[in-house]
Amino acid sequence: MKWKEAILNLKPYQPGRSIDEVKRAYGLKEITKLASNENPFGCSEQAKEVMKNYESSLALYPDGNATVLRSAVSKHLGIQENNLIFGNGSDEIIQVIARSLLYPGVNTVMASPTFPQYKHNAVIEGAEVREVPLADGEHDLDGMLAAIDENTSVVWVCSPNNPTGRYIARDALVDFLRQVPQQVLVVMDEAYFEYVHADDYPDTIKLLEQFQNLIVLRTFSKIYGLASYRVGYGAAHSDLISRLDPAREPFNTNTIGQLAAAAALADQEFIAYCHEMNKKGLAQFYDFCEREGLKFYPSQGNFVLIDVKCQGDEAFQFLMEKGFIVRSGNALGFPTSIRITIGCPEQNLGVIEQLTVFLNRKK
């Protein structure tokens, strides 16, 4: 078979181990999964009602235009409906962007480490990947600007960044955007936007009027708690959206996901509750790290990256055997760290207690 040479050495995305898999492997009855940055409080009751009461035929294709959800998101953001593109999670929009703008002969610029799907899709399309190392967990915007040349097609910016949780402040982002050539697309991936509590985080949706080479990605998989339904969206100038839309698969967002996402969007009281509980959860881990003398990155997401001063795989394995699934930093570019999703207070306390046991054994 005539495979693309670029994919021969690629590996598929490796999700965290499932709850059932860990239960079977270690004979455990209770598992706390804090590995994939999911919402420990689930989703809005309003979204659950939509799912429970859905009675239309499952034999019919979804609304390819996502009409109900499109209207809800446009009103929520204060933009026109033709400024939106919807995807099977924001992951698919990343894929659509790569499919549309990346190919042999062009390059793409991104931070490192960051969300791995930027690079993954670029490699598949045969584009040159230019990675700029993080500076203390943050995007090195000057370094990224220096990496851009006449062949650059896409620049990826993840804020808050996964896996460090660091963000780009308003003035720094605007200054960066002003220096990126207009023919280069800037992708602002804001999967964790609703968790941000920094006062100087930019209102990126308002920036779309000023920068027509900017697209903002968001998702219903994180704070909205609808990861199983895979619904994400991009917001950009209508001309940019119209160029990307033909590369999108038809009927790419499912019917119940569209309706559940619209209902979840309407329940901002639930979102505010999750936001506040996440802040309190982060404080639990910060206090623990300061008590134990561990380095961590202050996070604007629903996760925290902690340096455990040994191989992350070792801490990951210990916690998993105790019933806590976290993410080893080995796969994230931080080999002596683990990334922990913020859970409910009891879950946070449980993993902190077991991590304390682990650290005491290492002393």
Side-chain angles (χ1 to χ4, degrees):
M1 295 184 182
K2 299 180 181 178
W3 299 102
K4 278 186 176 180
E5 185 176 348
I7 74 165
L8 296 179
N9 294 317
L10 276 181
K11 295 181 180 179
Y13 180 79
Q14 297 295 318
R17 296 184 69 175
S18 71
I19 290 174
D20 288 341
E21 180 185 0
V22 174
K23 279 184 177 179
R24 289 194 301 269
Y26 300 102
L28 299 169
K29 293 183 178 180
E30 294 293 330
I31 297 293
T32 299
K33 184 170 180 257
L34 300 173
S36 301
N37 302 341
E38 296 144 332
N39 188 342
F41 303 103
C43 67
S44 163
E45 290 297 325
Q46 295 180 34
K48 291 179 183 178
E49 284 298 310
V50 167
M51 297 179 241
K52 185 169 62 177
N53 296 321
Y54 182 76
E55 295 180 350
S56 299
S57 174
L58 295 176
L60 300 179
Y61 283 108
D63 174 7
N65 190 52
T67 304
V68 171
L69 180 58
R70 183 178 297 274
S71 175
V73 174
S74 71
K75 290 176 183 176
H76 179 72
L77 298 180
I79 59 177
Q80 297 299 310
E81 292 186 9
N82 62 359
N83 293 130
L84 293 165
I85 184 171
F86 291 89
N88 185 32
S90 54
D91 288 314
E92 187 195 13
I93 304 174
I94 292 169
Q95 187 179 58
V96 166
I97 291 168
R99 187 178 183 186
S100 303
L101 287 161
L102 299 181
Y103 47 87
V106 304
N107 67 70
T108 181
V109 175
M110 64 195 69
S112 178
T114 191
F115 186 52
Q117 292 305 102
Y118 312 147
K119 181 177 181 179
H120 185 92
N121 282 285
V123 170
I124 289 174
E125 300 303 332
E128 177 193 351
V129 176
R130 296 184 175 180
E131 297 178 280
V132 179
L134 296 173
D136 194 25
E138 298 184 3
H139 283 61
D140 176 2
L141 296 181
D142 289 337
M144 294 175 73
L145 286 170
I148 296 171
D149 64 17
E150 66 277 6
N151 294 318
T152 303
S153 184
V154 180
V155 175
W156 307 89
V157 179
C158 187
S159 180
N161 186 47
N162 181 6
T164 60
R166 304 287 271 168
Y167 75 106
I168 299 170
R170 181 188 306 111
D171 291 346
L173 179 64
V174 171
D175 183 60
F176 175 75
L177 291 171
R178 284 176 176 156
Q179 296 181 72
V180 175
Q182 292 185 0
Q183 72 273 16
V184 176
L185 176 65
V186 178
V187 182
M188 187 74 170
D189 188 346
E190 295 186 332
Y192 302 94
F193 168 77
E194 292 84 2
Y195 284 111
V196 172
H197 50 268
D199 293 335
D200 59 347
Y201 191 86
D203 186 342
T204 47
I205 298 300
K206 288 185 177 179
L207 292 176
L208 296 177
E209 298 178 7
Q210 184 178 354
F211 301 101
Q212 297 185 10
N213 61 332
L214 172 66
I215 184 169
V216 178
L217 307 187
R218 293 182 185 171
T219 182
F220 287 93
S221 295
K222 301 304 179 184
I223 203 169
Y224 287 97
L226 295 173
S228 289
Y229 282 106
R230 310 302 297 123
V231 181
Y233 64 89
H237 190 274
S238 58
D239 289 347
L240 201 162
I241 295 294
S242 67
R243 293 279 185 162
L244 289 175
D245 212 33
R248 175 181 60 85
E249 293 294 327
F251 312 117
N252 61 329
T253 54
N254 69 84
T255 299
I256 303 178
Q258 290 178 24
L259 298 176
L265 192 66
D267 190 359
Q268 289 299 309
E269 185 177 343
F270 174 74
I271 300 306
Y273 170 76
C274 295
H275 179 274
E276 187 60 28
M277 293 303 294
N278 187 71
K279 281 180 65 177
K280 292 179 179 179
L282 283 169
Q284 284 182 275
F285 283 101
Y286 295 168
D287 289 345
F288 161 72
C289 288
E290 289 167 1
R291 187 168 64 247
E292 295 291 334
L294 301 177
K295 180 183 176 183
F296 65 96
Y297 289 112
S299 175
Q300 296 291 324
N302 68 332
F303 56 89
V304 61
L305 188 70
I306 301 173
D307 189 335
V308 291
K309 300 180 180 179
C310 65
Q311 278 297 309
D313 282 353
E314 190 178 350
F316 160 79
Q317 184 66 33
F318 177 89
L319 291 172
M320 185 164 56
E321 292 177 7
K322 300 299 181 181
F324 293 92
I325 309 174
V326 299
R327 194 72 188 268
S328 170
N330 271 51
L332 305 174
F334 293 87
T336 63
S337 297
I338 55 174
R339 191 192 68 191
I340 305 174
T341 300
I342 307 304
C344 67
E346 296 76 20
Q347 291 173 332
N348 299 335
L349 182 59
V351 74
I352 285 171
E353 288 177 347
Q354 292 301 328
L355 193 52
T356 301
V357 172
F358 172 78
L359 293 171
N360 286 336
R361 290 186 180 184
K362 298 297 291 183
K363 291 179 180 177

